[in-house]
Structure formats: structure tokens, C-alpha cells
Amino acid sequence: MIKKIPVERLRPGMFLHNLNAGWMSHPFLRNRFLVTEECMIERIIAAGIHELYIDTSRGLDDKDAPTEAEVNAQLMEEMQAAVHSETPYRCTTVAEELPNARRLRARATRIIRSVMHDAKMGKAINLEEIDSLVSEIIESILRNDSALLLLLRVRAQNDYTLVHSVAVSAMMITLCYTLSCDRAMLHQAGVAGLLHDIGKVRVPVEILNKPGRYSEYEYEVMKRHPKHGLEILQGVEGMPHEALDVALNHHERLDGSGYPHGQGCETISRMARMAAIADVYDAITSDRCYHTAMPPTAALKKMWEWSRHHFDPSLMRAFMTAIGIYPVGTLVKLESGRIAVVVEPHESEVLKPKVRAFFSTRSNLHIPAQLIDLSRPFGAGGGDRIIGYEDPRKWNLDPTRYLSDVS
């Protein structure tokens, strides 16, 4: 049985099932192992890990600890209660905005590739072009906040850094919009998100794209990229202060376990806290050479769990409201045995979006695409509920094909 315990209750003889941390956030080669010595526990605590999961079938038990299933159920209840009921105004549907979003995604990728190349070569960054691009991203999000984010979730591994920068920019703008920030703040957030990883141009490619766990030396080299980013952006006339702040501090954590300076909650700005959330969410929902993407809902649940120590809980609540617990394009399993794509969020019931079912696991056959409003009862176009999520790789489908004719 898998159970969750605070690190203070870890003792030799327990089998670690999950360190409950990012893959680079602990000093062990594996995430699952038997704890044999007190010094191992000391290293786990020193890595800033607060809570973890043990496998009682392979080691000592903690009778008072909740099971993984109980923890997950509690987290989903908390997330549902935390998300606001208000839905941002959308003047177009996702399907209507997709053509604009496709063109914008392509243009944004070209521009950020050029910006990073110029930065690597020591050339000046064209801030005017960045400002123009961010203005376009804002306009797309104000028309419909789901279309561009949906397209940015689909990417090749070799395009990760480029698309990641655009995705973080779009998510920071969306988060600011949810927080009712003014247009100037939306623009500052967009520029900061777009340039937050600019310092990676000074990280050797063999480290940046290494298909495995970093050595201690390699990790130290990677951890320098925030300082490199600050140095690069300081040399650009007119660069917003927020962009400098985010480039330097997007890996800082509220408990002081982040880098490059290990700041605590008292000194990390609100903008840098926003960037930390957007950066981690996009990273763990993306396929990498060393990491398999988590489904969006699972990623939000894990981040909500981490927010007790790493992220600002109030901003995490706003982020879940902005992105949605079941974002458009998410593949889900229904209680009826059907597989469906989320096509539209519900105005108030965050766990009951509109979905389009396309496959029956009971007959093991594709079915005619059917729109289902999960907030409605049986006989009224609804009467089903989400019981889990599906891996989109299994189906090899383009979720955008199911977004048209949503009513």
C-alpha cells in the first residue's frame, strides 16, 4: 500500500515509493529505494523535501499515514473548493480563435528562436519585436484564453525551450488577466515570461539536452542560467524591471529551497512567484528526453500539493482558475466507459466541462463524436462524469479536430 508521510516520520526500514519532488530536486539517483541509514534521511531533509510516499508492502509501515488514494481524493476536493466560479469573458469560441492562434504560435516560435540566437551571439535583443509579439499574445488571450494554450501544449522535444518560453508568457498573461491586472501588467508579465529562460543560451547544449539525470557538476552549471539571464537582459535598453526579476528568480521557492540565491517568501516578488508556477506547470506537462509529460489535471494536483511549501497558494488558486482543472484539449475517461476530449469549460462547475466522446472502452470501438455537457442530468445531453484522464500518446490524436460546433 502507498502512503504519504511527513519527512519527520521517515525512518530506516521504510521503502520510498516517491520522493514527491521534481527530478532534479533531490540528491539520489533513483526516486524509489529502501532507506537503510539515518544519513539518507538527513540528505532528503537537506534537499528541501517535506512530504513523501512510502510503499508499506516493501518496507515498514506508518499506521497513522493516509493512503495515496485518500490524499488524491482530498487534493481534488481542495482544488475544487479553491477554484473561483467566475469564468473570463470570451468573445470568440476556441474553434474560432484556433486559426489566429496557429499563426501566432508559428510567429512566436520564429521570433524567440531569433532572439535566443542573437543573445547567444552577443547581439542586441530586438525589444520592439518582443513588445509587438506580446501584444498579439494578449489580444489572442483576450478573445479566447484556451486556444493558444491548447496549441502550445503540442510540441516536439527539440522545440521545447522555444515553445516553453511562449507558453510561459501566455500562461503568465492569462494568470494576470484572471487576477484583473491592468493592460500594462499583462504586457510586463508577457515579456517576462517570454524571456525568463534566456540565460539558457549560455548553458552548453550537451548539458541542456542531456537525456538523463545531471551529475552534481552539470546541475550546478544549469543552475547558473538565471544569473546569465539577468546579465543578458540588463544590457537591453528599455527592458522592463519585471523581466530582469523573473529571469533571475523564477526558480526560487517560498521555503528557500530554490536557486540561485535560496530566497524565502519574504523576498520573492509576486511576478517571480507567478513565473515559478507557469514554468513548473509547463515543464511537467511536457515530454522531455528525461521526463514523460504528466496530464494537466495530474500536474495541477501535484503542484497544489507542493504549494504548501514551494508556491504561493493564493496564486496557485488563481492559476487553476485561469488554466482550468480540466483544460480544453485534455483527454478524459468517463464513468460510462467512453473516452472524450474536453472542449469547453463550464461557467461555474469546474469538474463538469463540456466534452466530446469519440471512443467506447466497452465495445473497444470508435463511436460517432458526441457532445456531452457533464453538468446536465441524464436525458438532457449529460448524465456522465469524469473518473480519470487518458494519455494522449495512446490515441495519437489532434484534440483540435473535436472543438468545432460546440454549443
Side-chain angles (χ1 to χ4, degrees):
M1 182 179 294
I2 309 302
K3 291 186 174 182
K4 182 180 179 182
I5 63 169
V7 70
E8 294 80 12
R9 278 158 53 182
L10 183 64
R11 62 187 189 274
M14 288 182 168
F15 188 90
L16 275 178
H17 176 76
N18 188 334
L19 281 163
N20 199 29
W23 79 282
M24 292 191 299
S25 301
H26 62 77
F28 299 95
L29 294 176
R30 293 165 294 154
N31 206 27
R32 298 180 181 180
F33 54 88
L34 181 68
V35 178
T36 58
E37 301 175 288
E38 287 287 348
C39 64
M40 297 172 72
I41 299 176
E42 293 172 3
R43 291 175 68 197
I44 292 171
I45 294 173
I49 295 170
H50 301 273
E51 301 167 322
L52 35 75
Y53 290 87
I54 59 172
D55 186 342
T56 62
S57 69
R58 304 178 69 179
L60 296 178
D61 193 1
D62 184 322
K63 294 182 178 179
D64 296 326
T67 67
E68 185 178 35
E70 290 170 338
V71 171
N72 285 336
Q74 179 65 30
L75 288 171
M76 286 302 291
E77 287 182 14
E78 292 176 4
M79 289 167 64
Q80 185 176 6
V83 173
H84 308 155
S85 60
E86 308 91 42
T87 300
Y89 171 73
R90 301 176 176 96
C91 62
T92 64
T93 66
V94 179
E96 290 170 339
E97 181 59 24
L98 277 175
N100 294 323
R102 284 195 179 93
R103 288 191 291 270
L104 181 54
R105 182 191 190 278
R107 179 169 183 260
T109 304
R110 287 195 301 269
I111 288 175
I112 197 65
R113 179 182 283 111
S114 174
V115 166
M116 288 191 164
H117 178 267
D118 288 347
K120 189 172 185 176
M121 296 295 104
K123 298 180 180 178
I125 291 175
N126 187 337
L127 185 57
E128 184 176 338
E129 190 172 44
I130 292 290
D131 283 335
S132 174
L133 174 60
V134 169
S135 294
E136 288 190 53
I137 295 174
I138 291 172
E139 291 302 328
S140 177
I141 288 170
L142 293 182
R143 287 191 295 267
N144 189 290
D145 56 329
S146 295
L148 181 59
L149 291 178
L150 169 60
L151 293 180
L152 290 170
R153 291 211 305 270
V154 181
R155 68 188 74 170
Q157 287 186 8
N158 58 352
D159 278 344
Y160 171 78
T161 300
L162 302 178
V163 182
H164 172 69
S165 298
V166 182
V168 170
S169 176
M171 284 188 283
M172 288 183 67
I173 291 168
T174 305
L175 176 54
C176 283
Y177 178 47
T178 301
L179 292 167
S180 300
C181 298
D182 60 25
R183 182 63 179 254
M185 184 64 73
L186 264 64
H187 194 90
Q188 291 161 3
V191 173
L194 204 62
L195 299 174
H196 79 285
D197 263 348
I198 193 72
K200 285 185 176 179
V201 302
R202 294 185 180 175
V203 176
V205 174
E206 60 272 19
I207 294 179
L208 195 62
N209 296 328
K210 182 179 178 180
R213 187 173 176 79
Y214 289 150
S215 67
E216 187 174 337
Y217 167 75
E218 290 167 337
Y219 188 32
E220 289 303 315
V221 171
M222 174 60 79
K223 286 164 61 176
R224 296 172 194 161
H225 81 265
K227 291 183 178 180
H228 293 322
L230 176 64
E231 293 166 2
I232 292 169
L233 297 184
Q234 280 178 326
V236 181
E237 185 177 355
M239 184 63 63
H241 167 76
E242 291 78 9
L244 305 179
D245 174 32
V246 165
L248 180 64
N249 296 315
H250 64 280
H251 283 291
E252 297 287 0
R253 299 292 180 260
L254 297 191
D255 64 355
S257 64
Y259 63 86
H261 296 125
Q263 298 181 55
C265 59
E266 299 83 4
T267 55
I268 305 172
S269 72
R270 192 174 190 229
M271 189 70 80
R273 297 180 189 206
M274 293 183 194
I277 291 171
D279 177 63
V280 170
Y281 175 80
D282 189 68
I284 64 178
T285 55
S286 302
D287 275 325
R288 302 295 306 278
C289 51
Y290 52 77
H291 166 78
T292 300
M294 295 176 68
T297 309
L300 288 172
K301 184 166 60 177
K302 182 55 66 177
M303 290 181 66
W304 178 246
E305 184 177 13
W306 289 339
S307 70
R308 296 180 177 91
H309 307 287
H310 292 177
F311 306 119
D312 185 320
S314 65
L315 291 178
M316 194 64 219
R317 285 193 290 270
F319 185 77
M320 291 190 295
T321 299
I323 301 299
I325 292 179
Y326 291 109
V328 171
T330 302
L331 218 56
V332 294
K333 300 175 183 177
L334 303 181
E335 190 174 38
S336 63
R338 292 175 289 187
I339 306 299
V341 176
V342 175
V343 296
E344 187 176 298
H346 191 273
E347 291 80 3
S348 59
E349 299 191 59
V350 296
L351 300 184
K352 299 179 179 180
K354 289 181 181 178
V355 303
R356 186 163 270 118
F358 65 90
F359 188 86
S360 170
T361 59
R362 294 178 180 174
S363 63
N364 201 33
L365 293 172
H366 282 266
I367 58 177
Q370 178 185 4
L371 182 66
I372 306 167
D373 186 340
L374 298 180
S375 69
R376 294 181 180 179
F378 278 105
D384 214 333
R385 71 183 183 92
I386 296 173
I387 60 171
Y389 29 76
E390 278 284 296
D391 186 342
R393 288 175 294 265
K394 175 181 175 181
W395 299 95
N396 192 29
L397 61 80
D398 175 5
T400 64
R401 63 179 284 203
Y402 294 98
L403 299 182
S404 59
D405 300 321
V406 176
S407 57

